[in-house]
Amino acid sequence: MSQLISTDSTRLPFADLPPLSLYVHIPWCVRKCPYCDFNSHTTPTRLPENAYVDSLLSDLQLELEHIVVRPLSSIFIGGGTPSLFSATAFARLLAGIQDVLPWQDAIEITLEANPGTFEQAKFAAYRQLGINRLSIGVQSFNDQHLTQLGRLHNANEAQQAVAIAQRAGFTNINLDLMHGLPGQDLTQALADLTCAIELQPNHISWYQLTIEPNTVFWNQPPVLPEDDSLWDIQQAGQALLAEQGFIQYEVSAYAKPNKQAQHNLNYWQFGDYIGIGAGAHGKISSLDGRILRYWKTRQPNDYLNNQRRAGEQLLNNSELPFEFLMNALRLSQGVPSQLFTQRTGLPLNLLLESWEQAQSKGLMLSNPRRLAATEQGALFLNDLLQIFLTSSN
């Protein structure tokens, strides 16, 4: 039997529970993009803001019955297109959250937004509510590519959106940008990055377009750049971002110093998070050592009609090493090795056989104090993770 497999009796209770975040899912978009496999639905004629906020707060109340309450370190409002909702709706939501959960003093509150939904008055009101980070789904600054991606905004509107956000008082802004787009060459990809950098965000999420099941692109796949072109784009883009002071701290995340996304860091460091909203996921640890994953019903109408949790799963010991490393090894610097025991309750020696195998292949650092991929391991992350997955079966 592999050293990764053990009985549940070996897991220790937690001395301290991990940080706690909250994810809120708003499931509506004006139109679903052909590449998108997120839980998003076309906006109804009348957006049920009030009813949905009621459902979110009711959902949160039920979740709190099953967790050890800790101060929230971050809130992330994602979608869909959350910026379709009014500031009034978010005021009621945030007040309701704060009524039942304490917040850390420096809590990060992120709102996802699309350029086509920007209104200066609305975004100034968002900022006044305490929302202090915007993640703007730009995807490209090339009008032809935006049309191919099914986006409703153009390049000029994307640039205006960032300016509106900055005038509204947002100083912590992420821009979402894709590369490897249909027909995109190296010059065009770098032009997108250059335009993003000139807008002076402090975080850029830059990731390759992938074709996912259950999307329009899956059934009608576009012609994407060849692998050699994709590699050239990746290498040149990373060099440009580094030259401009953006530090790559995760597979597709680049930030100015001290501007990493705290909410996402909590995911990657195997922290806890409550998930509310249609299609939301959560992960919660208990003091006795149990770790539960759960997910909510995906259909907005079902969610509004009090059909909330769609399923749940207690993670067993054989699953935990892979689950932990699938997140932690995405980070460029990895994590302190002691975090494995702190977040899973399992002894570190359960990883030794696979860890040594990964080191022998040059995929993980030979540093007993850190669980981290080498440069080669980061390039072949799926191969690295396969070592731990195979060992756990």
Side-chain angles (χ1 to χ4, degrees), residues 337-376:
S337 53
Q338 64 188 15
L339 193 69
F340 174 75
T341 297
Q342 292 172 1
R343 297 288 159 88
T344 68
L346 294 172
L348 187 62
N349 62 17
L350 292 179
L351 295 179
L352 285 180
E353 180 181 314
S354 297
W355 196 357
E356 290 172 354
Q357 183 183 347
Q359 289 173 356
S360 70
K361 294 177 179 292
L363 300 177
M364 285 189 72
L365 296 181
S366 299
N367 182 348
R369 296 184 179 181
R370 293 204 74 80
L371 290 164
T374 61
E375 185 175 343
Q376 183 180 2

Side-chain angles (χ1 to χ4, degrees), residues 133 171-175 200-204 246 254-257 259-260:
R133 184 173 183 271
T171 58
N172 195 358
I173 295 174
N174 169 64
L175 299 184
Q200 299 185 319
N202 37 40
H203 193 287
I204 295 177
F246 287 88
Y254 303 78
K256 289 297 181 79
K259 291 299 182 179
Q260 298 93 335

Side-chain angles (χ1 to χ4, degrees), residues 155-202:
N156 184 57
E157 287 170 329
Q159 293 171 317
Q160 288 179 344
V162 178
I164 289 171
Q166 291 166 337
R167 286 198 298 269
F170 284 96
T171 58
N172 195 358
I173 295 174
N174 169 64
L175 299 184
D176 257 7
L177 210 59
M178 288 183 179
H179 62 88
L181 306 180
Q184 187 183 56
D185 60 25
L186 174 61
T187 300
Q188 291 170 327
L190 293 183
D192 272 353
L193 265 183
T194 299
C195 189
I197 291 167
E198 288 175 349
L199 294 173
Q200 299 185 319
N202 37 40

Side-chain angles (χ1 to χ4, degrees), residues 98-308:
Q98 198 162 26
D99 282 344
V100 296
L101 272 172
W103 294 5
Q104 290 184 2
D105 289 342
I107 188 170
E108 175 192 88
I109 305 177
T110 301
L111 177 78
E112 286 188 336
N114 283 338
T117 61
F118 269 77
E119 301 171 18
Q120 186 164 349
K122 180 194 284 188
F123 279 77
Y126 288 165
R127 184 66 192 92
Q128 290 172 1
L129 294 177
I131 296 171
N132 51 24
R133 184 173 183 271
L134 278 184
S135 181
I136 305 174
V138 172
Q139 311 312 352
S140 176
F141 290 96
N142 181 303
D143 285 341
Q144 180 182 351
H145 290 148
L146 288 170
T147 299
Q148 291 172 322
L149 293 173
R151 305 297 285 175
L152 295 176
H153 66 273
N154 59 37
N156 184 57
E157 287 170 329
Q159 293 171 317
Q160 288 179 344
V162 178
I164 289 171
Q166 291 166 337
R167 286 198 298 269
F170 284 96
T171 58
N172 195 358
I173 295 174
N174 169 64
L175 299 184
D176 257 7
L177 210 59
M178 288 183 179
H179 62 88
L181 306 180
Q184 187 183 56
D185 60 25
L186 174 61
T187 300
Q188 291 170 327
L190 293 183
D192 272 353
L193 265 183
T194 299
C195 189
I197 291 167
E198 288 175 349
L199 294 173
Q200 299 185 319
N202 37 40
H203 193 287
I204 295 177
S205 298
W206 189 60
Y207 50 93
Q208 183 179 322
L209 170 65
T210 55
I211 307 301
E212 302 291 349
N214 302 314
T215 65
V216 172
F217 275 0
W218 180 263
N219 296 314
Q220 303 170 30
V223 178
L224 302 181
E226 298 289 338
D227 286 347
D228 287 348
S229 295
L230 292 173
W231 175 252
D232 290 343
I233 289 170
Q234 183 76 30
Q235 293 295 100
Q238 288 177 334
L240 175 61
L241 285 161
E243 177 186 299
Q244 296 299 318
F246 287 88
I247 300 165
Q248 183 180 14
Y249 69 99
E250 189 265 347
V251 171
S252 57
Y254 303 78
K256 289 297 181 79
N258 303 314
K259 291 299 182 179
Q260 298 93 335
Q262 296 306 305
H263 187 87
N264 291 341
L265 276 176
N266 192 40
Y267 288 157
W268 297 321
Q269 294 171 350
F270 215 54
D272 279 356
Y273 52 97
I274 304 167
I276 59 174
H281 288 237
K283 176 245 170 189
I284 295 296
S285 306
S286 300
L287 286 169
D288 61 8
R290 290 177 301 147
I291 299 176
L292 178 75
R293 287 200 183 277
Y294 63 83
W295 50 97
K296 301 298 172 65
T297 184
R298 292 173 61 86
Q299 294 299 321
N301 286 341
D302 291 341
Y303 186 82
L304 286 165
N305 289 320
N306 297 320
Q307 298 177 39
R308 304 277 162 72

